[in-house]
């Protein structure tokens, strides 16, 4: 069983010897390995049971290291790095030869970010290599936002979890690349379209079916609990349709329901989207563990970070109801 602790020296020792270690970031926990050691990278794929055609993000200590791994960096990418790093933004850029195409699923681009978490930044600064790290969940399941989530999901197959407490942001980074020099958003995340456009002007969002780029965050079913989740515009009406079932509710703000037996999680009593993001995956883990027959979730307000939350809910959903 994986050890859990704050021992950076232990993480360094394991990573240097080619092991995988779970690390905290401000978005979700990552399953990290030496990005320059292909056997270690291979372990990530095996542990996660992730298909090899799904490329990994590399995590670096500082934006000054960007040009070690990325070539042809457009000015807008430098502007975004200066504004949002360390932080929940991933840049997709043409890779340098130092980055193996094993890591990028044979693509010529690489995804890079500087995470904002004191423990992991400290770790990255001490390591002589960058860390490849996808979210530390088995492929397709809900991403982990605490060390305990990682332990429950992968504790039997990894040696160590660096515990940095609950992830502050709570959902994955925004992914931005460039096509014909225009910024393209591949995955919505904590950095909103508005935040990006404030810095670099107009962006394009490429919905799944229109993109040629392989990215799993874009796979239609993802981030999903084992319990079927129904996403609905009208919780009360949907509850009637599920009469007699044992239900778990996932709500943005609080609402009162007649049935006292309902299991209900409110993401933000005060209606703050950032707070809802912080709680979303924790709530899905909790509802999944309650062994209800179905989870009914309502859409979040579709503004700011709400767009990313709705993206995750849509993918987590077994069915989207009218
Ligand atoms: O917040 C995050 O980004 C977290 C933390 C751990 O950093 N990581 C994360 O990794 O969400 P992962 O592997 O679960 O999701 C990364 C996404 C995948 O959908 C992958 O397909 C996409 O990034 N990706 C990686 N390299 C890419 C590339 N060269 N071009 C396009 N998409 C890429
Ligand atoms: Mg993931």
């Amino acid at each position: 069983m994986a050890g859990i602790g704050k021992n950076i020296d232990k993480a360094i020792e394991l990573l240097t010897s080619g092991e995988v270690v779970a690390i905290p970031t401000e978005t979700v926990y990552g399953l990290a390995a030496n990005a320059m050691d292909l056997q270690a990278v291979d372990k990530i794929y095996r542990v996660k049971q992730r298909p090899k055609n799904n490329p990994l993000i590399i995590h670096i200590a500082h934006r000054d290291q960007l040009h070690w791994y990325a070539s042809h960096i457009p000015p807008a990418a430098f502007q975004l790095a200066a504004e949002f790093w360390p932080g929940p933004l991933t840049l997709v850029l043409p890779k340098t030869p130092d980055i193996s195409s094993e890591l990028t699923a044979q693509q010529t681009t690489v995804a890079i970010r500087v995470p904002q978490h004191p423990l992991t930044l400290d770790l990255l600064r001490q390591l002589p290599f960058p860390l490849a790290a996808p979210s530390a969940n088995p492929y397709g399941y809900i991403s982990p936002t605490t060390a305990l989530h990682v332990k429950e999901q992968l504790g039997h197959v990894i040696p160590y979890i660096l515990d940095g407490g609950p992830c502050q942001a709570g959902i994955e980074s925004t992914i931005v690349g460039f096509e014909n020099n225009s910024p393209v958003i591949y995955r919505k995340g904590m950095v909103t379209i508005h935040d990006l456009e404030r810095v670099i002007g107009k962006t394009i969002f490429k919905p799944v079916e229109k993109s040629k780029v392989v990215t799993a965050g874009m796979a239609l079913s993802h981030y999903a609990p084992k319990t079927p989740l129904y996403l609905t515009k009208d919780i009360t009406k949907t509850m009637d349709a599920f009469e007699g079932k044992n239900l778990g509710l996932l709500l943005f703000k609080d609402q009162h329901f007649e049935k006292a037996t309902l299991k209900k999680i409110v993401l933000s009593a005060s209606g703050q989207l950032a707070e809802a993001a912080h709680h979303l995956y924790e709530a899905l883990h909790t509802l999944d563990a309650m062994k209800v027959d179905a989870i009914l979730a309502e859409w979040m307000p579709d503004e700011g970070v709400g767009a990313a939350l709705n993206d995750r809910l849509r993918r987590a959903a077994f069915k989207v109801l009218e």
Side-chain angles (χ1 to χ4, degrees):
M1 207 26 126
I4 298 190
K6 295 184 188 302
N7 189 339
I8 292 194
D9 290 339
K10 180 162 181 178
I12 292 174
E13 195 184 305
L14 287 164
L15 289 164
T16 305
S17 66
E19 275 302 330
V20 294
V21 170
I23 56 165
T25 82
E26 80 282 31
T27 59
V28 300
Y29 273 74
L31 182 64
N34 176 355
M36 299 310 195
D37 174 345
L38 295 186
Q39 281 182 351
V41 169
D42 192 55
K43 262 188 204 161
I44 295 179
Y45 281 97
R46 273 188 281 135
V47 165
K48 238 187 107 85
Q49 296 183 315
R50 175 171 173 128
K52 276 286 181 96
N53 67 359
N54 197 331
L56 303 178
I57 297 177
I58 70 163
H59 297 70
I60 59 175
H62 195 274
R63 65 175 191 270
D64 290 350
Q65 299 170 351
L66 184 58
H67 66 278
W68 296 354
Y69 310 110
S71 54
H72 312 293
I73 306 169
F78 283 118
Q79 282 173 285
L80 290 175
E83 181 75 19
F84 297 110
W85 282 357
L89 176 74
T90 295
L91 294 174
V92 171
L93 295 164
K95 70 178 191 67
T96 57
D98 276 0
I99 294 291
S100 160
S101 53
E102 286 282 301
L103 214 82
T104 67
Q106 310 306 320
Q107 299 183 102
T108 53
T109 55
V110 61
I112 305 180
R113 86 178 188 102
V114 180
Q116 184 168 43
H117 191 290
L119 266 186
T120 292
L121 278 175
D122 194 358
L123 174 68
L124 285 167
R125 285 188 197 116
Q126 294 189 54
L127 289 170
F129 47 78
L131 290 175
S135 51
N137 49 296
Y139 184 67
Y141 193 60
I142 312 163
S143 300
T145 54
T146 65
L148 196 61
H149 293 159
V150 182
K151 186 169 181 177
E152 281 163 6
Q153 299 177 23
L154 298 176
H156 55 296
V157 275
I158 63 174
Y160 195 60
I161 302 165
L162 196 57
D163 187 355
C167 300
Q168 189 54 40
I171 61 165
E172 297 81 355
S173 61
T174 307
I175 303 182
V176 177
F178 298 86
E179 294 182 17
N180 305 319
N181 274 324
S182 298
V184 177
I185 301 170
Y186 294 123
R187 179 172 72 184
K188 292 179 185 175
M190 288 307 295
V191 174
T192 66
I193 295 181
H194 180 80
D195 296 334
L196 295 169
E197 294 196 338
R198 181 169 52 77
V199 180
I200 54 167
K202 191 94 194 90
T203 61
I204 303 164
F205 175 62
K206 281 227 169 163
V208 188
E209 53 282 2
K210 292 214 178 121
S211 178
K212 292 195 192 76
V213 180
V214 193
T215 116
M218 297 170 67
L220 272 172
S221 172
H222 210 70
Y223 316 107
K226 297 190 173 81
T227 314
L229 182 146
Y230 296 83
L231 188 56
T232 172
K233 287 192 183 123
D234 187 339
I235 287 259
T236 314
K237 192 171 124 196
T238 308
M239 274 163 54
D240 290 345
F242 281 79
E243 184 62 45
K245 298 275 189 215
N246 187 11
L247 299 176
L249 302 189
L250 184 64
L251 305 174
F252 176 50
K253 289 196 275 192
D254 204 5
Q255 293 179 46
H256 178 72
F257 299 100
E258 292 303 315
K259 275 193 178 173
T261 54
L262 283 171
K263 298 179 177 74
K264 170 173 95 170
I265 296 187
V266 173
L267 292 178
S268 174
S270 58
Q272 306 291 318
L273 285 164
E275 189 185 14
H278 176 71
H279 292 305
L280 178 68
Y281 289 148
E282 171 74 37
L284 287 173
H285 281 284
T286 306
L287 286 165
D288 211 13
M290 281 177 175
K291 302 276 176 238
V292 288
D293 298 325
I295 299 169
L296 308 188
E298 66 175 356
W299 292 95
M300 304 290 122
D302 207 43
E303 65 207 38
V305 176
L309 297 179
N310 284 334
D311 168 75
R312 302 304 190 274
L313 283 172
R314 195 180 305 112
R315 291 167 208 279
F318 172 68
K319 208 164 178 183
V320 178
L321 306 171
E322 279 314 303

